């Protein structure tokens, strides 16, 4: 079995699994100085875009293509390449289709989609000027496109709204929800979908604290919230998108409203994937490989499910004990260190809360 992987930044997360499966790995990357280029069996440096990867896939006669892209801008090009390569050459591409990417990459279209399928989302309006504001303050101001908290502002006063419009001509204005931030991964392939355990990312703040700076835990345990509701809602969203790969969804639970609100959905690997793996034993990136080799199924996922307590802590630079090889796998480790130097995080797991606290103390 030969698989083409597109993008090297995330490849070290799955290199150990690709080797374990005996898969011949081919990788394309547009940056000749990128990390992880020493790991695959073959590497091809290609121009930006999807024409280069497509040509390499045909030249190398690969059996499947797995894009490992964790940012939004290239996803639409990947989606168009997927539809062309699958239709004309019969090579499966484990990625979202054009319809799903176009819908999820635009926050306004995503809002409309939630309403169409009957999933609750915070009240919103499209602002072309501060004077059009009708929602009660505070509100969250966003652009239609963007990720990782980019161009998002929590506006507490009308002056905050006016300040936002010093930079932007339009804004998606959303009611600020006071409550718990929740993330969940859904895996989907060939019409089968499975929602993994929800992850707790902390409480919302008027300061707009970025999730990377918060301590996160799995599984999600929020008073008044049924995790089955989160999984059912996430499954409903993915099923209606009708695409393949990883779906990462953000929700907010308001204790005041006793309501789960859908915030956004992304068709790419996400930042809580280590916590999800630590919590339930299912690695979403490895499942992309299983989709490529025809080994993904609800039954196989069910057989892998484990139940752990986990946490992810931002630490800057990790100086504790070294994990076992492979260092990005929880198969022989109870913790994984990830993230770039200066912004590293530790994700740890244990079979009880007490054991987890003791492990964290040892690692810190």
């Amino acid at each position: 079995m030969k698989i083409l992987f597109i993008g090297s930044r995330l490849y070290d997360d799955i290199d150990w699994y690709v080797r374990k499966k005996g898969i011949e790995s081919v990788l394309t990357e547009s940056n000749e100085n990128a990390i992880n280029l020493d790991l695959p069996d073959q590497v091809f440096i290609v121009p930006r875009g999807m024409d280069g990867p497509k040509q390499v896939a045909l030249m190398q006669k690969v059996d499947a293509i797995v894009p490992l892209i964790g940012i939004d801008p290239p996803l639409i090009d990947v989606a168009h390449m997927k539809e062309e390569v699958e239709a004309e050459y019969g090579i499966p591409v484990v990625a979202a289709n054009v319809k799903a990417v176009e819908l999820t990459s635009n926050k306004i279209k995503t809002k409309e989609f939630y309403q169409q399928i009957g999933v609750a989302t915070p009240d919103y309006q499209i602002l072309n000027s501060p004077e059009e504001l009708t929602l009660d303050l505070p509100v969250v101001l966003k652009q239609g496109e963007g990720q990782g908290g980019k161009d998002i502002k929590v506006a507490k006063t009308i002056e905050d709204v006016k300040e936002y419009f010093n930079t932007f001509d339009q804004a998606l204005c959303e009611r600020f929800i006071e409550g718990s931030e929740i993330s969940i991964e859904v895996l989907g392939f060939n019409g089968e979908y499975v929602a993994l355990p929800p992850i707790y990312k902390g409480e919302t703040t008027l300061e707009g604290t970025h999730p990377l700076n918060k301590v996160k835990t799995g599984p999600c345990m929020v008073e008044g919230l049924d995790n089955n509701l989160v999984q059912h809602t996430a499954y409903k969203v993915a099923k209606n998108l009708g695409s393949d790969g990883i779906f990462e969804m953000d929700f907010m639970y308001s204790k005041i409203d006793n309501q789960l609100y859908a915030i956004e959905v992304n068709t790419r690997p996400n930042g809580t994937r280590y916590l999800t793996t630590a919590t339930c034993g299912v690695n979403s990136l490895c499942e992309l490989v299983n989709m490529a080799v025809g080994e993904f199924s609800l039954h196989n996922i069910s057989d892998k499910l484990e139940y752990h307590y986990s946490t992810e802590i931002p630490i800057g630079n990790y100086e504790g004990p070294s994990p076992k090889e492979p260092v990005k796998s929880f198969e022989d480790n109870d913790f994984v260190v990830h993230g770039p130097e200066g912004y590293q995080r530790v994700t740890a797991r244990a079979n009880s809360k007490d054991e987890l606290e003791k492990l964290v103390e040892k690692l810190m």
Side-chain angles (χ1 to χ4, degrees), residues 223-242:
E223 184 179 356
L225 175 63
D226 183 355
N227 281 348
N228 289 326
L229 172 64
V230 183
Q231 291 178 294
H232 174 77
T233 307
Y235 173 89
K236 180 178 181 179
V237 172
K239 185 74 173 177
N240 278 276
L241 284 173

Side-chain angles (χ1 to χ4, degrees), residues 70-275:
I71 57 176
D72 289 341
L75 296 181
I76 190 63
D77 290 336
V78 172
H80 283 293
M81 182 270 292
K82 168 190 173 71
E83 297 192 356
E84 176 190 351
V85 167
E86 290 185 342
E88 295 186 15
Y89 304 102
I91 303 173
V93 180
V94 184
N97 58 31
V98 171
K99 175 185 174 183
V101 173
E102 287 182 339
L103 193 156
T104 59
S105 62
N106 185 295
K107 293 181 175 64
I108 298 171
K109 289 183 179 180
T110 305
K111 285 281 196 180
E112 295 169 349
F113 169 69
Y114 288 145
Q115 293 178 322
Q116 290 168 4
I117 65 174
V119 169
T121 188
D123 294 337
Y124 72 99
Q125 64 178 124
I126 308 302
L127 288 186
N128 293 298
S129 72
E131 291 71 30
E132 294 180 358
L133 179 65
T134 59
L135 294 174
D136 292 335
L137 293 163
V139 294
V140 181
L141 302 172
K142 307 176 180 179
Q143 291 301 290
E145 298 180 353
Q147 71 179 84
K150 185 176 183 293
D151 301 330
I152 294 179
K153 180 182 182 67
V154 179
K156 292 172 271 190
T157 66
I158 190 63
E159 284 71 28
D160 289 339
V161 180
K162 291 177 180 177
E163 182 180 324
Y164 192 80
F165 271 85
N166 289 336
T167 305
F168 302 102
D169 297 325
Q170 189 182 73
L172 169 61
C173 179
E174 187 177 78
R175 174 192 164 204
F176 176 80
I177 302 297
E178 182 180 353
S180 305
E181 298 182 53
I182 299 153
S183 182
I184 185 172
E185 288 182 290
V186 180
L187 303 175
F189 193 65
N190 286 340
E192 287 192 308
Y193 300 90
V194 57
L196 300 177
I199 300 301
Y200 172 68
K201 299 200 295 185
E203 298 299 297
T204 57
T205 66
L206 288 173
E207 291 72 32
T209 304
H210 195 282
L212 287 180
N213 298 321
K214 296 181 179 180
V215 174
K216 309 180 192 69
T217 57
C220 177
M221 290 182 286
V222 173
E223 184 179 356
L225 175 63
D226 183 355
N227 281 348
N228 289 326
L229 172 64
V230 183
Q231 291 178 294
H232 174 77
T233 307
Y235 173 89
K236 180 178 181 179
V237 172
K239 185 74 173 177
N240 278 276
L241 284 173
S243 192
D244 295 336
I246 299 172
F247 304 88
E248 183 258 342
M249 303 184 200
D250 291 330
F251 290 90
M252 210 79 75
Y253 174 67
S254 168
K255 299 179 181 67
I256 297 173
D257 302 340
N258 189 27
Q259 178 66 57
L260 181 70
Y261 294 102
I263 304 300
E264 65 178 66
V265 53
N266 300 296
T267 55
R268 53 171 167 76
N270 72 94
T272 58
R273 63 185 183 275
Y274 295 99
L275 261 176

